[in-house]
Amino acid sequence: MVTGYRARLALDGGVPVRTRAIPTTLERAGRRFDEAEEEAVLRVVRSGMLSSVWGHETRALESEFAELVGVDHAVACSSGTAAIHLAIAAVDPAPGDEIIVPPISDIGSVLPVLAHNAVPVFADVDPDTGCLDPAAVEAALTPRTRAIMAVHLFGKPAPVDRLRAIADRAGAVLIEDCAQSYLAPTPGGALAGAVGHVGCFSLQQHKHITAGDGGLAVTRDPALAERMRLFADKGWPRAEGRVYRSFALNYRMTELTAAVARAQLRKLSGVVADRRAAAARLRAALDGVDHPVLPDDDGHVYWYLPLLVDGIDQRGLARYGDALTAEGVPAIAGYLARPLYAEPVLRDELAYGGSGYPTRGARSYPDGLCPVAEEMIARRLVVVPWNENLSTEDVEDVAQAIGKVHRAVTAASDGSAA
Ligand SMILES: *Cc1c(COP(=O)(O)O)cnc(C)c1O
């Protein structure tokens, strides 16, 4: 078949669309740091108080963040994973209780479940978004279900209104993992994090805003807030003197982190607006060109730009990601190497001294457990890390690279199938 002119892929020795590196979140060019963050660090160091136990930066961050999300309480902690552990600890599962989780996320969504001796139960995802499918969650409920963890994957709001209704009917807690979704409006109007019983955010280097590492857990429920606060500080209610009320760890945020996070918080709405504007420019630039399926824009805050490619095989998808990267647009085929349940930590039961605790005999994690997620990771999903500083030229180059690679890789796989 004659397909007309096709530019040779950089992967195959052609000229790359882009030779100058596109800014990433691993460097200043892809982040928003200025005098405000510098002043924040100096303010804390000069005060002599670097601990949140006695300082006021972390408490101020908590109230500013709670207000921004539209809830009553926020508890700061040392990472997004820690924030999720706070939420799980507040659920207070007994050993063997179950938490429903999605197979496509950062492993930080799941490890705290194991750390709290509970069993992760994986439910499959929506084929368009990769977020939990409410019907699959419904089917995964058992009398031991204590919580459901919804991840707003890549910044697209998960159907948390429906998941909240399912959780309420089941007497379970809905935890929203918002590490990739700051200020994302959910279908019901509330922001991501304000619909579930608890919302968990991360300040890791790659997220919308960062202080290197750090986390925030938000809730409307004062009892959950108190349990999370105690869990982050050794079970020690400081106002009551030296008493340890509950099992807990030390997940405290430092004042340095909180001060930087406060400065970042003031930039957050601009960061989200600029990420959305760049995505809109990309959409416009790809108009009329053969391209992969772009995400539904509604409520999306574009942590990453996920692309869905249909009609290619596993090798084709790997080539798609490699080809984009070679064109100068760093991309990751599949986002993950495998669904989270296929990771050694779960499949090989590596927690707790080889005992198999807490999953052995309760759950196994075979291939085929979540076919929609497996298909996305192996054959459909390519992600392009996004950021708030992409220029008009950057976005045009991304669009050109996507068009070029899409044409070449999908045409090649058409040919081999014929
Ligand atoms: C980054 C991330 C986490 C973990 O956050 P850390 O701050 O790296 O511990 C959890 N869930 C999701 C969806 C994430 O993207």
Side-chain angles (χ1 to χ4, degrees):
M1 191 178 76
V2 178
T3 53
Y5 168 77
R6 262 195 259 139
R8 189 158 167 220
L9 290 175
L11 192 63
D12 300 330
V15 179
V17 167
R18 170 85 178 205
T19 44
R20 244 174 349 102
I22 286 177
T24 76
T25 50
L26 287 178
E27 63 214 311
R28 192 175 172 124
R31 304 274 54 183
R32 249 164 228 189
F33 297 128
D34 58 26
E35 303 74 28
E37 284 76 12
E38 292 171 16
E39 191 278 324
V41 171
L42 286 175
R43 182 173 75 232
V44 171
V45 174
R46 286 176 179 158
S47 79
M49 175 48 66
L50 275 60
S51 166
S52 60
V53 174
W54 302 277
H56 70 270
E57 298 282 350
T58 308
R59 299 292 90 83
L61 170 68
E62 288 172 340
S63 51
E64 288 160 9
F65 192 68
E67 190 181 336
L68 191 68
V69 179
V71 297
D72 300 322
H73 310 277
V75 180
C77 57
S78 53
S79 70
T81 306
I84 290 164
H85 200 179
L86 262 52
I88 302 285
V91 169
D92 199 20
D97 279 351
E98 296 173 349
I99 315 279
I100 295 175
V101 295
I104 306 180
S105 183
D106 182 86
I107 193 72
S109 306
V110 175
L111 294 179
V113 175
L114 286 181
H116 234 79
N117 308 316
V119 176
V121 172
F122 288 86
D124 213 343
V125 299
D126 179 286
D128 295 329
T129 64
C131 296
L132 272 182
D133 171 3
V137 169
E138 199 103 53
L141 291 170
T142 79
R144 299 212 70 171
T145 306
R146 297 293 312 281
I148 298 164
M149 174 125 35
V151 175
H152 302 282
L153 193 67
F154 307 133
K156 175 68 183 174
V160 276
D161 296 280
R162 291 170 64 197
L163 293 170
R164 174 69 197 241
I166 293 170
D168 286 345
R169 274 202 305 279
V173 168
L174 177 64
I175 301 167
E176 292 179 69
D177 179 342
C178 306
Q180 304 181 356
S181 60
Y182 281 89
L183 301 186
T186 65
L191 293 184
V195 180
H197 298 80
V198 182
C200 301
F201 294 81
S202 165
L203 296 164
Q204 185 260 359
Q205 177 76 34
H206 288 303
K207 313 301 177 169
H208 285 78
I209 52 170
T210 185
D213 268 312
L216 287 150
V218 301
T219 182
R220 298 177 196 276
D221 182 331
L224 287 174
E226 180 60 13
R227 293 217 284 276
M228 293 197 290
R229 192 169 293 289
L230 283 175
F231 191 70
D233 191 17
K234 302 186 270 194
W236 184 355
R238 301 267 173 173
E240 294 176 33
R242 192 145 200 162
V243 55
Y244 303 113
R245 288 245 172 266
S246 51
F247 169 69
L249 298 168
N250 173 358
Y251 276 147
R252 295 190 305 256
M253 181 179 280
T254 77
E255 290 288 273
L256 286 165
T257 302
V260 171
R262 291 179 72 193
Q264 288 274 285
L265 210 55
R266 296 196 169 86
K267 298 170 180 167
L268 181 55
S269 61
V271 164
V272 169
D274 289 348
R275 283 171 176 256
R276 283 185 52 76
R281 288 203 305 277
L282 181 82
R283 226 173 269 277
L286 285 171
D287 192 32
V289 179
D290 247 5
H291 62 76
V293 178
L294 301 172
D296 174 10
D297 185 63
D298 196 21
H300 213 301
V301 293
Y302 297 99
W303 179 61
Y304 276 8
L305 179 83
L307 308 172
L308 290 174
V309 193
D310 284 306
I312 60 176
D313 60 10
Q314 189 154 7
R315 272 188 47 228
L317 189 74
R319 184 166 158 78
Y320 203 111
D322 290 346
L324 273 175
T325 303
E327 296 300 335
V329 176
I332 310 157
Y335 172 53
L336 303 177
R338 56 194 71 82
L340 294 178
Y341 53 76
E343 289 295 339
V345 61
L346 277 163
R347 189 164 277 181
D348 303 339
E349 304 177 326
L350 297 181
Y352 304 109
S355 63
Y357 184 79
T359 52
R360 188 176 299 167
R363 293 279 165 170
S364 59
Y365 300 104
D367 284 340
L369 192 57
C370 298
V372 177
E374 290 180 10
E375 173 79 6
M376 282 182 95
I377 293 166
R379 278 179 289 279
R380 295 184 61 223
L381 176 67
V382 180
V383 297
V384 177
W386 213 235
N387 70 70
E388 52 275 18
N389 293 349
L390 295 172
S391 69
T392 305
E393 190 197 343
D394 294 334
V395 172
E396 274 165 14
D397 289 344
V398 172
Q400 217 195 310
I402 288 174
K404 179 179 175 186
V405 167
H406 190 78
R407 204 177 321 122
V409 176
T410 56
S413 74
D414 281 356
S416 64

